[in-house]
Amino acid sequence: MPYQHILIAIDLTDECHPVVERALAIAASSGAKAALVHIVEPMAMAFGGDVPMDLSLLQQQQFDQARERLQSFAGRYPQLGAEQRHLAYGQPRQELHRLAEEQGCDLIVVGSHGRHGLALLLGSTANDVLHGAPCDVLAVRLKKTKE
């Protein structure tokens, strides 16, 4: 059965354009709706939740910057209107699963670096999203960037 609604998870880097392009190609070939989502993680998660200061102002600034970057990023895809762009706050796996269920998505498309060794043991967003997903998950292999 063809997909009906595709959720495209992005981190707003240039590496994500192939992920969006692959998802939009699938959407076009199956007549599916597509939507972008970027998740802003709570700053406290980066510090293990034990932060001796109020991060709410910084968190709001981070969220506002993410909103601007999402609009700029999505501007490259005129077929994705404002109602198809989502910005969420929280743990990526949980937010992607929640949004996929709310929106009735039958495919989540994410980028994957295909890491091995220690990075693989620690997990990745793509791997994390796969477990417990309410629908199919497609991990698009991202090209390694030169450092």
Side-chain angles (χ1 to χ4, degrees):
M1 240 174 69
Y3 292 109
Q4 302 295 312
H5 196 172
I6 301 170
L7 185 61
I8 311 162
I10 57 172
D11 66 5
L12 300 175
T13 63
D14 285 340
E15 283 184 317
C16 287
H17 289 293
V19 175
V20 177
E21 289 158 12
R22 174 75 58 86
L24 291 177
I26 293 168
S29 69
S30 64
K33 294 188 296 185
L36 287 176
V37 61
H38 174 69
I39 289 107
V40 177
E41 291 187 69
M43 287 184 161
M45 287 177 68
F47 297 104
D50 190 22
V51 184
M53 63 173 92
D54 181 11
L55 295 174
S56 57
L57 182 60
L58 284 174
Q59 192 72 60
Q60 185 59 49
Q61 289 173 339
Q62 181 187 25
F63 198 81
D64 292 343
Q65 287 174 349
R67 181 179 295 115
E68 290 173 20
R69 288 179 58 213
L70 177 61
Q71 298 313 321
S72 174
F73 182 97
R76 189 163 156 174
Y77 307 100
Q79 64 270 52
L80 295 171
E83 69 283 351
Q84 294 161 283
R85 302 171 190 170
H86 304 281
L87 190 60
Y89 175 78
Q91 198 275 336
R93 177 181 56 93
Q94 292 171 346
E95 290 304 308
L96 284 172
H97 291 177
R98 179 191 61 76
L99 193 58
E101 283 185 23
E102 278 180 12
Q103 299 286 316
C105 297
D106 49 4
L107 177 64
I108 299 171
V109 180
V110 296
S112 172
H113 288 95
R115 291 189 171 102
H116 302 286
L118 186 58
L120 183 63
L121 290 174
L122 294 174
S124 68
T125 300
N127 186 47
D128 204 22
V129 169
L130 180 63
H131 298 287
C135 59
D136 291 351
V137 177
L138 171 64
V140 176
R141 176 67 58 104
L142 298 173
K143 301 233 185 310
K144 290 182 180 161
T145 55
K146 309 255 187 299
E147 296 187 20

